């Protein structure tokens, strides 16, 4: 189908731009999809900076392959196909993009290359499936990393984006039977990785934080600013799961042991006791951006971001990330 009258408006304009070699119109049409393609690459790779790189690679490949677009599929579908295969090529070359043993007493693994995704970079007017909260939260992103790359791609296309099996098979150059088998295996792994979570990702999703989540992050910041260790202990569950990336080691501990461990490592001691914080969100989750003022420094400087999973009013999981030298987080470097 090459008759422009039979194509959608974007597709017809795209075909015309390709025929004319119009790089400006090409860029305008493909740029509209950048943010959702970047979310797709992030689900595949769990790393914001890698997702940025692969999105740029996708747009470059699209330009180089522009003559192959005949309008048989929507422009958006064609770009997703290119993005998926760019991520698969990336994963094939990297041996550091698989979960590693966590060291926990119970079987588990961790994703040391995990980075948070700033909500400000999510699509402004997305399709619901693109940024449903349940499919962008850290736990989901980590769980997806336990799938082999091609199985991961099938799962995201079928169960997250809602593509039919035939469309996913064509994008990945697989048979429909292979796609069906792969997504069934993926669902088993996801149930194992997210045993307490809702697994129907195509039903209506939540976007907004709950009152409990807002209250917990405000209290977490207040406890830091006041150096109120008792209050901090009271905010944490006694089966807290804690990780500070990119440092290795995910720990499950009581609230008191967690705070005692932070104190023994130097937090809330001189030089690490003058905090300010602001409430933010990443991965559609509540987060505290923590700023530290060193002695004799007139300014508070961005130090870390703590992403919280709140259950029944208490922090059940706390994933910390070094926030320094990460301008893409969109946070002010100083307060």
């Amino acid at each position: 189908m090459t008759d422009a009258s039979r194509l959608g408006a974007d597709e017809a304009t795209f075909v015309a731009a390709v025929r004319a070699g119009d790089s400006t119109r090409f860029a305008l049409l493909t740029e509209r999809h950048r943010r959702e393609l970047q979310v797709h690459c992030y689900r595949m790779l769990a790393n914001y900076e890698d997702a940025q790189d692969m999105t740029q690679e996708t747009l470059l490949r699209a330009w180089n392959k522009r003559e192959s677009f005949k309008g048989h599929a929507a422009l958006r579908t064609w770009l997703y196909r290119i993005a998926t295969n760019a991520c698969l090529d990336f994963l094939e070359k990297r041996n550091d993009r698989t979960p590693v043993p966590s060291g926990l007493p119970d079987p588990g693994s961790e994703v040391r290359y995990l980075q948070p995704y700033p909500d400000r970079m999510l699509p402004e007017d997305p399709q619901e499936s693109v940024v449903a909260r349940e499919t962008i939260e850290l736990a989901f992103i980590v769980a997806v990393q336990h799938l082999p790359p091609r199985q991961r791609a099938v799962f995201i296309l079928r169960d997250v984006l809602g593509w039919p099996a035939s469309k996913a098979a064509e994008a990945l150059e697989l048979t429909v039977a292979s796609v069906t088998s792969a997504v069934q295996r993926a669902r088993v792994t996801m149930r194992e990785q997210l045993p307490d979570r809702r697994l129907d990702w195509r039903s209506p999703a939540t976007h907004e934080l709950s009152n409990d989540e807002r209250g917990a992050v405000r209290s977490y910041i207040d406890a830091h600013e006041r150096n109120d260790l008792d209050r901090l202990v009271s905010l944490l569950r006694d089966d807290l799961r804690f990780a500070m990336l990119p440092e290795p080691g995910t720990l499950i501990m009581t609230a008191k042991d967690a705070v005692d461990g932070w104190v023994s490592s130097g937090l809330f001691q001189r030089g690490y006791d003058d905090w300010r914080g602001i409430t933010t969100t990443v991965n559609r989750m509540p987060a505290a951006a923590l700023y530290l003022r060193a002695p004799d420094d007139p300014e508070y400087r961005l130090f870390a971001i703590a992403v919280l999973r709140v259950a029944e009013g208490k922090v059940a999981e706390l994933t910390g990330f070094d926030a320094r030298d990460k301008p893409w987080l969109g946070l002010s470097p100083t307060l």
Side-chain angles (χ1 to χ4, degrees):
M1 179 170 58
T2 58
D3 181 355
S5 66
R6 300 174 62 194
L7 304 178
D10 276 0
E11 287 71 27
T13 304
F14 188 83
V15 169
V18 168
R19 287 173 176 169
D22 189 338
S23 60
T24 300
R25 271 198 297 171
F26 176 95
L28 287 173
L29 288 166
T30 54
E31 189 65 25
R32 296 176 189 174
H33 301 277
R34 178 185 288 273
R35 288 195 176 192
E36 62 176 291
L37 290 171
Q38 188 163 298
V39 172
H40 179 59
C41 292
Y42 176 72
R43 285 198 183 98
M44 287 288 295
L45 306 175
N47 183 281
Y48 181 83
E49 291 166 315
D50 291 340
Q52 279 187 313
D53 290 344
M54 286 304 101
T55 303
Q56 192 60 38
E57 171 68 13
T58 295
L59 299 181
L60 178 61
R61 289 189 184 192
W63 173 253
N64 291 335
K65 296 180 178 181
R66 62 192 181 278
E67 298 289 349
S68 70
F69 183 79
K70 304 299 183 184
H72 299 146
L75 176 59
R76 178 177 181 268
T77 300
W78 185 69
L79 291 171
Y80 266 90
R81 175 177 182 167
I82 295 173
T84 303
N85 284 287
C87 290
L88 290 173
D89 290 345
F90 173 89
L91 290 168
E92 186 177 350
K93 296 173 184 175
R94 300 289 292 264
N95 59 10
D96 63 341
R97 286 300 185 267
T98 54
V100 297
S102 66
L104 290 172
D106 59 320
S109 55
E110 59 190 18
V111 179
R112 294 179 186 173
Y113 50 91
L114 178 69
Q115 290 181 335
Y117 200 98
D119 284 9
R120 69 185 183 88
M121 293 304 297
L122 293 172
E124 294 176 358
D125 186 23
Q127 293 192 11
E128 179 70 19
S129 60
V130 174
V131 291
R133 180 174 176 180
E134 288 80 353
T135 66
I136 199 70
E137 287 184 333
L138 291 178
F140 179 90
I141 297 300
V142 169
V144 168
Q145 301 308 299
H146 289 80
L147 304 176
R150 196 159 293 271
Q151 193 180 111
R152 187 184 313 174
V154 169
F155 172 76
I156 292 170
L157 294 177
R158 289 282 287 117
D159 276 17
V160 178
L161 297 179
W163 286 22
S166 58
K167 187 174 170 182
E170 182 182 357
L172 297 170
E173 298 182 347
L174 298 171
T175 65
V176 170
S178 295
V179 164
T180 301
S181 176
V183 80
Q184 288 173 346
R185 294 196 303 274
R187 288 168 183 166
V188 171
T189 301
M190 293 299 286
R191 290 189 191 100
E192 292 171 350
Q193 294 296 321
L194 297 169
D196 302 323
R197 303 295 184 91
R198 179 173 73 79
L199 300 181
D200 179 9
W201 294 291
R202 281 185 263 174
S203 65
T206 58
H207 282 185
E208 300 299 324
L209 298 184
S210 68
N211 290 333
D212 276 355
E213 288 173 320
R214 292 190 187 94
V217 73
R218 284 196 299 266
S219 296
Y220 182 84
I221 289 171
D222 186 67
H224 275 73
E225 293 181 345
R226 296 173 182 270
N227 282 268
D228 188 340
L229 302 186
D230 290 337
R231 187 174 187 187
L232 193 55
V233 169
S234 72
L235 288 171
L236 308 177
R237 278 180 42 156
D238 266 350
D239 57 350
L240 174 73
R241 190 178 184 97
F242 168 70
M244 183 67 201
L245 297 175
E247 298 299 322
T250 300
L251 302 172
I252 296 176
M253 61 186 81
T254 67
K256 186 175 186 309
D257 285 347
V259 175
D260 286 348
W262 299 337
V263 171
S264 66
S265 67
L267 291 182
F268 305 107
Q269 305 294 323
R270 177 168 171 75
Y272 291 89
D273 59 347
D274 193 355
W275 298 96
R276 291 292 181 269
I278 58 174
T279 300
T280 186
T281 58
V282 296
N283 296 74
R284 293 204 182 279
M285 300 176 71
L290 297 173
Y291 291 74
L292 177 66
R293 189 173 74 86
D296 303 321
D297 190 337
E299 294 185 303
Y300 291 85
R301 301 187 183 277
L302 182 60
F303 183 77
I305 185 167
V307 186
L308 313 179
R309 185 174 78 82
V310 178
E312 299 176 348
K314 290 200 170 189
V315 177
E317 295 178 14
L318 195 164
T319 307
F321 297 92
D322 186 341
R324 295 167 291 187
D325 301 318
K326 293 180 177 61
W328 46 266
L329 285 169
L331 297 167
S332 172
T334 59
L335 288 182

